[in-house]
Amino acid sequence: MASAGGRRGFDRARQKGHHGSAMGRPRVVVVKSSAVWTPAGTLDPAVLARMFARGLADLTGERDSAQAAAAIFRPGERVGIKVNTIGGRAISTRPEVARALAAWIAGGGTAGRDILVWDRTSRELRDAGYAISTGRSDVRVFGTDAGGAGYENSLTDHLDVGSLFSRILTEFVDASVSLAILKDHGLAGLTAGMKNYFGAIHNPNKYHDDGCDPFVAQVFDAPPVKSRHRLTVVDALTVQFHRGPSYHARWAAKFGGLIFSRDPVAADHAGWAVLERLRRDAGLPTLEAEGREPSYLRTAERMGLGTSAAEVVETVVGAGP
Amino acid sequence: MNRRSFLRGAAGAGLALGAGLPAVRLRPAASPAGPSPSQVEARYYVKLPDREIECRLCPRSCRLGDKERGYCGVRENQGGAYYTLVYGKACTLNVDPIEKKPFFHVLPGTTALSMATAGCNVNCKFCQNWEISQVRPEQVDHFHLSPEAAAAKAVSSGCPSIAYTYSEPIVFFEYMYDTARQARSRGVRSLVVTGGYVNPGPLADLLGVVDAVKVDLKGFSEGFYKAYVRGALGPVLETVRAVAASKVWLEVVYLVIPTLNDRPEDLRAMARWLHDTAGPDVPVHFSRFHPMYLMKNLPPTPVSTLEAARETALAQGLRFVYIGNVPGHEAESTVCPGCRQTVIRRLGYAVDTSRLKKGQCASCGTAIPGIWA
């Protein structure tokens, strides 16, 4: 079976802007595959690998993985993959997805020892199915609470945000990928790539007032994040489209998608669109109708962090190679 | 997925061997300092459908799904039940002069066993203890200290009181409540140092087991509370009103921050409101601000501003108005409203001389309100 189908809007751009866009217009690539799920309900690593390869090729305009990776990361950079594991095994960034991304980055030339999969705590990572690894020889996986990591000693005081950032972000890595999970959020409306960085600060509980607005945008805008963020990948394989961020099986859908963008606002807008699509299919009102649309995205756009008007490319990856 | 499978997958993808990132170690699962939080079911919450809960401890009314924590960072929904993570988990324990709290009309010259856990239900930009108040319990070292042990520690330390202070004791309500009961059974008093952001029901329960409350009134406008405290003034005023109406001793501290909450008209209105609500005998402390936390761009409060605030409050009829954080200032001392003689002379946190006899001025016999023995 051919691996490509239903792809539209893709052009092999040779000129890429700051957000990996063609002709300066940011791009979002949504890669879907119904074949990513095995009959046993697990994820097929081979299909996942192809989803990453396709998504990042379409995003960068580079078919070769090394060249695609070079369009995102600089040689010798240490890359942090920030996952979201607060939801436990049921609704977190899946370890198989993190592994596939790590493999793709490594395939582009980054040494395994320079790739770090991380979140707030090792316990949450473990609870979400990750194997903690602190060795020096390969891809490492641990939380900010691991000894030798921790938070910075000095506060980052940025706009309305005053937080200690994880030293994993500020000292252990040079470039950051937000590998988020797509969920409805009772207060913020949506949690995806931008809000994932709440897991990089010591006090996210202080920033849930007013729909997390402007705090999501301001945490992202703070130098520790903004200077390192290179890529958003949203794990939308399983989406919690209502009553999130906690897991509720009746409102979780196997969407089977991954969302890629170098524009953090555009990526989250695409995630929001997916969420609304699933809500509509389930007969639920829009987030706006419930008075909890993710207003922080408008704030982020006003702050120049990205756009809501990106080019969206949808691709389907099949079961075969 | 286990560690081996993750590494195998990564290695299969061609990951190289070597040493790049800094060394880290995992924290032990448990230690005497106890990084693991407690799991004692919280009071004051309601269970909702789909494993959600709503906290009813403070006016925030956090509505939380499974695995979520409240604004305070120390109370967590675990599978539809709500738990305090700091019960018996003190992160700070000191023997302090009671004047440091400050309580000026409670057992002067004695010490208070002063304790705190992590957490707070507001986020003042000028917080002086943010390293413990604005963090989660996992982020600070703490040790296990049961309510019984805390009460016993007060006795063995020669402290006639326990002060729940430094962070925000409302967020460790269950721990404070049980400790206060244990303390009372041993003849030890309980003193609460709080921002007063608490619901009336829990407050009423608390007032049944403690002896004195000091409320940090951080400003006198809703705008200030929203912008700089991340809370609301109204509930705090209700707390002041409730404590004043109870048998529990009340003192009020007002941290005067240059240009932000030092407008004379606000101070006058605040003093008038306190006078009318709590009466003329409620001690009021105007404290000096020092640049701290997220507010390092302002200078310390000029002493003249504090003195003006004090004069304003005295003019509104308040009889015991102090200046704090200015060691050696004459307004640290208690003056008899009857004869204007100094009854208790303080130097910093120390009582230099006392001319108080059985709660009365030794010079003229005027009763001085407070807890004196």
Side-chain angles (χ1 to χ4, degrees):
Chain A
M1 177 183 286
S3 60
R7 181 161 63 91
R8 62 179 185 271
F10 175 74
D11 63 5
R12 293 182 61 84
R14 294 299 179 193
Q15 292 181 308
K16 295 176 283 295
H18 174 68
H19 298 304
S21 57
M23 305 301 287
R25 187 181 178 199
R27 173 180 292 162
V28 179
V29 178
V30 181
V31 180
K32 289 193 67 179
S33 177
S34 57
V36 73
W37 304 101
T38 69
T42 59
L43 291 172
D44 184 329
V47 176
L48 263 181
R50 286 201 302 281
M51 292 173 76
F52 269 98
R54 171 58 53 81
L56 290 160
D58 286 3
L59 183 68
T60 62
E62 302 288 355
R63 285 285 164 229
D64 178 74
S65 285
Q67 290 182 334
I72 299 171
F73 307 109
R74 286 190 281 269
E77 282 189 326
R78 301 166 300 171
V79 180
I81 299 173
K82 169 66 179 71
V83 294
N84 181 346
T85 57
I86 195 173
R89 199 175 289 263
I91 194 71
S92 292
T93 309
R94 290 172 173 273
E96 297 91 334
V97 175
R99 186 170 62 199
L101 176 58
W104 183 86
I105 294 170
T110 300
R113 65 176 183 270
D114 287 336
I115 300 172
L116 202 165
V117 177
W118 68 284
D119 200 357
R120 189 169 55 181
T121 70
S122 294
R123 176 181 63 83
E124 288 173 336
L125 283 161
R126 201 178 289 116
D127 289 350
Y130 288 76
I132 304 302
S133 168
T134 60
R136 289 170 176 261
S137 62
D138 217 323
V139 173
R140 298 210 279 174
V141 184
F142 55 83
T144 295
D145 61 334
Y151 293 93
E152 290 196 299
N153 292 324
S154 298
L155 283 163
T156 294
D157 183 0
H158 183 72
L159 303 174
D160 291 321
V161 169
S163 295
L164 300 173
F165 278 78
S166 170
R167 291 180 62 228
I168 293 175
L169 180 66
T170 61
E171 296 181 27
F172 290 19
V173 305
D174 307 301
S176 176
V177 179
S178 178
L179 180 55
I181 183 78
L182 180 58
K183 296 190 288 188
D184 170 273
H185 192 286
L187 298 175
L190 169 82
T191 180
M194 294 190 75
K195 191 173 177 298
N196 186 24
Y197 282 112
F198 267 24
I201 59 176
H202 84 289
N203 57 349
N205 46 303
K206 300 301 182 187
Y207 300 125
H208 282 77
D209 286 347
D210 303 322
C212 303
D213 184 21
F215 306 114
V216 171
Q218 292 186 357
V219 167
F220 190 95
D221 189 61
V225 176
K226 191 177 179 182
S227 66
R228 291 172 180 80
H229 179 79
R230 301 295 171 75
L231 175 68
T232 299
V233 181
V234 180
D235 174 351
L237 297 173
T238 300
V239 178
Q240 187 70 52
F241 59 87
H242 186 51
R243 297 300 289 272
S246 302
Y247 178 69
H248 300 282
R250 60 191 283 210
W251 294 303
K254 285 190 173 181
F255 181 71
L258 296 174
I259 300 169
F260 301 84
S261 186
R262 300 190 66 188
D263 182 315
V265 179
D268 282 9
H269 264 281
W272 183 9
V274 170
L275 205 72
E276 296 287 15
R277 191 190 311 179
L278 294 171
R279 292 176 64 85
R280 186 182 61 235
D281 292 348
L284 293 166
T286 63
L287 295 180
E288 182 179 15
E290 290 193 348
R292 54 188 187 93
E293 62 179 306
S295 59
Y296 64 79
L297 289 178
R298 276 201 306 272
T299 300
E301 189 166 18
R302 278 198 302 271
M303 292 172 68
L305 297 175
T307 181
S308 60
E311 172 194 22
V312 178
V313 179
E314 290 196 9
T315 301
V316 174
V317 168
Chain B
M1 182 176 181
N2 55 32
R3 176 177 185 272
R4 179 173 297 174
S5 66
F6 186 96
L7 295 178
R8 187 170 58 235
L15 303 186
L17 299 176
L21 295 163
V24 298
R25 66 184 188 285
L26 296 177
R27 288 181 185 275
S31 74
S36 58
S38 69
Q39 280 195 316
V40 171
E41 188 166 10
R43 299 168 200 169
Y44 312 111
Y45 80 96
V46 293
K47 294 185 177 183
L48 301 172
D50 300 313
R51 291 174 287 127
E52 292 190 349
I53 65 95
E54 184 172 300
C55 184
R56 298 282 173 85
L57 177 61
C58 91
R60 290 193 177 279
S61 301
C62 293
R63 182 169 176 152
L64 306 169
D66 187 20
K67 301 180 189 298
E68 289 192 290
R69 284 193 197 179
Y71 187 94
C72 60
V74 301
R75 305 166 87 81
E76 184 175 273
N77 178 349
Q78 297 177 6
Y82 202 37
Y83 292 91
T84 167
L85 306 179
V86 290
Y87 190 98
K89 301 287 185 179
C91 66
T92 305
L93 188 70
N94 291 311
V95 174
D96 281 344
I98 201 167
E99 285 75 14
K100 188 177 177 181
K101 305 299 101 187
F103 279 105
F104 277 12
H105 287 233
V106 179
L107 305 177
T110 66
T111 53
L113 184 71
S114 303
M115 56 189 290
T117 74
C120 185
N121 58 351
V122 293
N123 186 12
C124 302
K125 291 191 172 187
F126 43 87
C127 183
Q128 312 234 338
N129 291 317
W130 69 269
E131 293 95 336
I132 60 170
S133 69
Q134 300 303 322
V135 302
R136 296 176 167 221
E138 302 92 329
Q139 294 166 348
V140 291
D141 289 331
H142 51 256
F143 46 89
H144 183 72
L145 183 73
S146 69
E148 297 86 350
K153 182 73 175 171
V155 173
S156 66
S157 302
C159 299
S161 65
I162 296 175
Y164 313 94
T165 180
Y166 302 129
S167 57
E168 174 49 67
I170 292 303
V171 306
F172 60 89
F173 186 98
E174 296 82 0
Y175 184 30
M176 171 170 58
Y177 183 93
D178 290 354
T179 302
R181 292 189 62 182
Q182 289 292 329
R184 181 164 284 183
S185 72
R186 289 168 167 80
V188 175
R189 288 189 167 90
S190 280
L191 321 174
V192 183
V193 178
T194 176
Y197 202 50
V198 59
N199 280 337
L203 176 63
D205 292 344
L206 184 66
L207 293 178
V209 297
V210 302
D211 302 277
V213 174
K214 190 214 80 179
V215 175
D216 283 316
L217 187 56
K218 299 167 192 293
F220 205 65
S221 75
E222 289 291 355
F224 180 86
Y225 262 81
K226 181 170 177 56
Y228 300 104
V229 178
R230 297 287 178 195
L233 172 63
V236 177
L237 297 183
E238 288 309 307
T239 293
V240 171
R241 190 190 305 276
V243 178
S246 75
K247 294 178 179 176
V248 172
W249 181 252
L250 171 68
E251 300 196 20
V252 173
V253 164
Y254 190 100
L255 183 72
V256 182
I257 304 174
T259 73
L260 298 184
N261 67 356
D262 62 347
R263 294 197 316 164
E265 54 269 39
D266 287 346
L267 294 171
R268 189 177 303 111
M270 185 271 288
R272 169 52 53 185
W273 183 87
L274 275 177
H275 177 277
D276 294 347
T277 303
D281 288 339
V282 59
V284 177
H285 307 250
F286 288 107
S287 252
R288 190 182 200 193
F289 160 84
H290 290 282
M292 192 71 72
Y293 189 37
L294 302 174
M295 200 159 279
K296 294 180 178 172
N297 59 328
L298 293 175
T301 317
V303 174
S304 59
T305 301
L306 298 167
E307 291 170 337
R310 179 170 183 265
E311 289 305 316
T312 298
L314 289 169
Q316 295 303 312
L318 293 171
R319 302 204 299 169
F320 301 99
V321 185
Y322 301 98
I323 288 177
N325 288 346
V326 186
H329 196 284
E330 63 179 7
E332 289 181 318
S333 296
T334 301
V335 174
C336 173
C339 66
R340 308 308 303 167
Q341 295 293 307
T342 297
V343 183
I344 302 172
R345 183 178 303 281
R346 299 181 181 85
L347 286 173
Y349 298 140
V351 172
D352 182 38
T353 56
S354 174
R355 302 188 69 253
L356 192 70
K357 304 293 183 189
K358 296 183 178 178
Q360 296 178 331
C361 172
S363 296
C364 70
T366 297
I368 309 296
I371 300 173
W372 306 118

